[in-house]
Each structure stands twice: as C-alpha cells, then as structure tokens.
Amino acid sequence: MTLKIGVIGTGAIGQEHIQRLHHKLVGSTVVAVNDINKAQAEEVAKRLTPAAKVFENGHDLVADPNVDAIVVTSWGPTHEEFVLSSIAAGKPVFCEKPLATTAEACLNIVNAEIASGRQLVQVGFMRRYDKSYRLLKEQITNGNLGEPLMVHCAHRNPSVPEVYAGDMAITDSFPHEIDVLRWLLDDDYVSAQVIMPRKTKHTRKDLDDPHMILLETKKGVRIDVEVFVNCPYGYDIQCQVVGEDGIGYLPEPMSVLLRKDAKLSHEILQDWKLRFIDSYDVELQEWIESVKAGVVRGPTAWDGYFASVTADACVEAKHSGKIVPIRIGERPSFYAPTALKPA
Ligand code: NAI
Ligand code: NAD
Ligand code: ISE
C-alpha cells in the first residue's frame, strides 16, 4: 500500500520533505499540498509533484478522503490548528518542530490526542534519527563514559532570514537541543537560566545573538548550550558529554581532510538541510512504515509539549535574568513507551 500524504506549508522544509516523500523514500506519495501563499504552493506542486491537488486551505486538505496522513511544515504559529484538525479527522500527522509555539497550545494537542484514544501525532525532532547522535548515545547507555555529569553544546547557523525574530533562538532553534539532550541522557529538566553575552556585529539591531542557555536535569547533570545564529563560518552542531570515566564527542559530519595551500583543513557545512539530510530520510521512512503498521513510534506530542514548557522557561529566564524552575506534570500513561495506541 502506498501512503497518500497531504503537505501543509510549501516553504523551505516543506519543499525538502515533499521531494523526499514523493521521489526518494519508499511507500509514500504526495497527493495534496497547501500553503497560505497559493502561488508558491502551485509552483512547488508543478515542479515536484504535478498530479497533487492544491488546496485553498489546510483544513480542506486534512478532510479530503484521498489524504491518508498529513505533514505540517507551515510556520510554527499555524501548527496547533492543523494538528488539531488532523486529530479531529482521525488521521496520523507528522508535525515539524515546534509542535506549537506555546506550552498551552501543545497541551491542547496532548489533551485532544488522549481524548481521541489513538496516538496520531509525531513531532519532527529528527536528531534522534541522526547516526552521530545515536553513536554518542550508545557510549552513554553502554556505560563507557560512566555517569554523565556535564554536557557542552553549540548550535550555530551562518545566518538567519528576516522572519527569524524575537526569541526564536530559544523557541525555534534551541528546541532541537531540548529534545535530543533529554533523549540522549534519558532525563528531564528542572531549571533554566539564560545568560546574554556581548552581541555580535553580524546580527540585526532587533535580534539578540548569541545566547548562552543553561539547563539542569533531575539527575543533576549541568548543560550549557551556545545558540549563535549569525556565526558567519558555517552550520555547526557540537555536543560533548563529560562523564565520570570519559568524554564523548558528537562525531563531525564526514568530509575529506585536505592538505592544500599550506593548510590542513576540513570543509564545514553551510546549511541545516545538508547536515541532517540522512536523519530526515530515516525519520520520515520510519514514520511511513509506522503509520502503515498502525502505531506511531517517533517523538510524541508529549515530547513536543515538554520542549515547549522548557522553551517557555528559557524565555522567562532570559527576560527576568533569573533561574526559572521547569515544572511539568508526570507523563500521562497514554505516552508510556509500552502503551502505544494504534493510529
Ligand atoms: P518557511 O517559511 O520556508 O515555510 C513555511 C511555509 O508555511 C511558508 O511557505 C508559508 O507560506 C506557509 N504557511 C504559513 N502559514 C500557513 C498557513 N496558515 N497555511 C498554510 N501554509 C502556511 O519555513 P521553514 O523553514 O520551511 O520552516 C517550517 C517549519 O519547519 C517550522 O516549524 C520550522 O521550525 C521547521 N523546520 C524544521 C527544521 C528541522 O531541522 N527539523 C528545519 C527547518 C524548519
Ligand atoms: P518557511 O518560512 O520557509 O516556510 C513556512 C511556510 O509556511 C511558508 O511557505 C508559509 O507561506 C507557510 N504558511 C504560513 N502560514 C500558513 C498557513 N496558515 N497555512 C499554510 N501555509 C502557511 O519556513 P521553514 O524553514 O520551512 O520552517 C517551517 C517549519 O519547519 C518551522 O516550524 C520550522 O521550525 C521547521 N523547521 C524544521 C527544521 C528541522 O531541521 N527539523 C528545519 C527548518 C525548519
Ligand atoms: C530551523 O528552523 C531548524 O530547525 C534548523 O534545524 C535549525 O538549525 C535552525 O536554527 C532553525 O531556525
């Protein structure tokens, strides 16, 4: 059976995902697209999936009986309504991170999904599918590093577009670290603090950059993450786990070591699309298989909610200058790994 997918949002990552779902991965086809910018949706459909129907709005796409499952890649503030619409229609939905832009909106999704009685939502936290993060996690779970004590990370983008504004370093970029470190350490967060270093000359007047974010986990692990989104040299993701018995480094992306022009060098990637290209493929291929098998297995709406509560605490910490507790109730049994509800 081929899974017939409708994609809402045909911007940067929407186009990437349409390309892989329609042309690259096995067992799926894109039959419908929508974007608030209709001209763009039409151009993307014509170029990438000419037989797909272009819908006037996302809710009509969700309701179309020809659409088996939905992928939401519109910008963050629209995610809640399209995910809720998919749950109401009883259809599996893969939503790009963040699940929604406030914790309250994420909780609405969690409650709607629990009320539906079926696990339908997967969030696009693709780093869990990345080979390099999986290798690092193996070093922790096999005990090679001893108990983790500290984690040092950097999330660096060469530049960001005009639409990247306000606290998006915390609400749009940092959620990747929030999710992957929680998964890596098998731990939850208890407090957040944000320290603002000197501002770079490469950022706009209205955009703070860089940020230094500190998290503390339940087990007492201390995490520091530099989010620096106008760091001109490249797209660079770093993670170093300091354990009692050893230190594990996230492997660098593969590149040829060059001896040239009196220098010994490695290329540094410039684009997030390339750094995680394999992870998006694995993530969406596994999602296709799991939807077909009737059980969604990837990052859940609860993981999306946890990321949002953490991001909100970080935004509060940034603006208050205080250490802010991260308070979240116990994970509902609905989301226990052993209690997956058929989609
Ligand atoms: P984008 O701005 O290129 O694309 C967003 C698209 O959504 C635009 O085409 C816009 O017209 C459309 N849109 C906005 N409101 C809409 C509505 N109400 N109905 C239908 N379409 C609507 O943004 P980009 O970079 O593609 O990001 C989209 C989402 O993907 C974001 O949530 C972002 O955080 C996430 N993302 C995730 C990445 C990852 O590594 N997992 C990488 C890049 C983005
Ligand atoms: P983008 O701005 O390129 O695309 C967003 C699209 O959403 C635009 O085309 C816009 O017209 C459309 N849109 C906005 N409102 C809409 C609506 N109401 N209905 C339909 N379409 C609407 O942004 P992007 O970089 O593609 O990011 C989109 C999402 O993907 C964001 O949530 C972002 O955080 C996430 N993202 C994830 C990754 C990742 O690595 N997982 C990378 C990039 C972006
Ligand atoms: C973008 O939305 C992403 O998700 C990228 O993976 C991230 O590196 C970038 O900072 C975000 O803006």
Side-chain angles (χ1 to χ4, degrees):
M1 167 213 168
T2 300
L3 192 69
K4 290 180 286 176
I5 296 171
V7 178
I8 303 176
T10 55
I13 200 156
Q15 294 176 37
E16 290 290 309
H17 286 349
I18 290 171
Q19 169 70 26
R20 56 174 55 87
L21 289 166
H22 196 68
H23 296 286
K24 192 173 184 186
L25 304 182
V26 178
S28 67
T29 175
V30 174
V31 295
V33 297
N34 158 259
D35 196 292
I36 200 160
N37 177 349
K38 192 166 182 213
Q40 180 193 253
E42 279 168 348
E43 185 280 319
V44 169
K46 195 169 158 200
R47 181 162 44 87
L48 297 178
T49 172
K53 182 167 172 187
V54 180
F55 280 79
E56 287 292 332
N57 76 70
H59 301 286
D60 291 346
L61 175 150
V62 170
D64 187 326
N66 192 39
V67 170
D68 299 325
I70 293 97
V71 168
V72 178
T73 46
S74 48
W75 75 307
T78 64
H79 291 180
E80 180 190 12
E81 60 169 305
F82 296 130
V83 174
L84 286 176
S85 196
S86 305
I87 294 171
K91 295 187 182 180
V93 53
F94 174 93
C95 179
E96 260 308 333
K97 42 63 57 179
L99 175 59
T101 44
T102 64
E104 192 190 350
C106 290
L107 194 56
N108 290 338
I109 292 171
V110 163
N111 288 335
E113 190 179 39
I114 293 176
S116 84
R118 297 163 65 198
Q119 196 148 5
L120 294 166
V121 182
Q122 178 166 328
V123 185
F125 286 128
M126 76 295 175
R127 289 196 193 175
R128 296 185 185 204
Y129 298 84
D130 182 65
K131 178 91 176 148
S132 57
Y133 274 107
R134 287 184 171 188
L135 287 171
L136 185 56
K137 186 169 171 67
E138 208 176 291
Q139 292 299 318
I140 298 172
T141 48
N142 68 14
N144 235 0
L145 303 181
E147 289 298 327
L149 308 172
M150 293 176 282
V151 185
H152 308 299
C153 302
H155 184 146
R156 303 193 185 114
N157 291 44
S159 61
V160 282
E162 283 290 312
V163 291
Y164 193 99
D167 291 319
M168 280 178 77
I170 296 173
T171 59
D172 195 72
S173 298
F174 184 54
H176 284 300
E177 270 75 20
I178 297 177
D179 183 71
V180 83
L181 297 178
R182 208 175 137 240
W183 166 84
L184 198 64
L185 299 169
D186 193 19
D187 204 349
D188 283 335
Y189 308 124
V190 294
S191 73
Q193 182 180 7
V194 177
I195 294 168
M196 299 307 293
R198 183 177 173 185
K199 197 164 157 171
T200 167
K201 67 178 181 188
H202 295 296
T203 190
R204 305 190 309 260
K205 269 202 177 115
D206 62 326
L207 188 71
D208 295 330
D209 190 41
H211 289 67
M212 172 74 71
I213 306 175
L214 308 175
L215 294 172
E216 183 187 359
T217 74
K218 267 189 187 162
K219 293 178 193 163
V221 179
R222 294 290 183 157
I223 298 168
D224 59 88
V225 182
E226 166 205 318
V227 183
F228 185 10
V229 298
N230 289 282
C231 133
Y233 77 84
Y235 184 76
D236 192 12
I237 301 299
Q238 298 287 326
C239 179
Q240 179 188 339
V241 178
V242 180
E244 293 168 307
D245 300 328
I247 300 179
Y249 293 81
L250 184 73
E252 294 284 344
M254 194 158 52
S255 82
V256 173
L257 175 65
L258 286 182
R259 285 180 157 81
K260 190 167 184 251
D261 299 332
K263 286 194 179 73
L264 195 57
S265 65
H266 275 286
E267 182 194 8
I268 295 181
L269 294 173
Q270 297 296 307
D271 195 339
W272 52 261
K273 293 182 194 107
L274 297 176
R275 170 63 182 84
F276 289 107
I277 191 163
D278 297 335
S279 336
Y280 297 124
D281 289 349
V282 177
E283 168 192 54
L284 283 170
Q285 188 67 63
E286 286 191 14
W287 178 71
I288 293 164
E289 303 309 329
S290 70
V291 168
K292 286 189 192 173
V295 182
V296 176
R297 296 192 194 90
T300 64
W302 181 257
D303 295 320
Y305 172 57
F306 201 103
S308 196
V309 170
T310 306
D312 283 1
C314 292
V315 171
E316 188 188 332
K318 172 181 169 180
H319 294 289
S320 67
K322 296 193 170 135
I323 297 173
V324 173
I326 297 173
R327 294 199 180 92
I328 188 161
E330 280 305 304
R331 181 178 62 193
S333 55
F334 181 86
Y335 292 109
T338 50
L340 294 180
K341 308 284 176 304

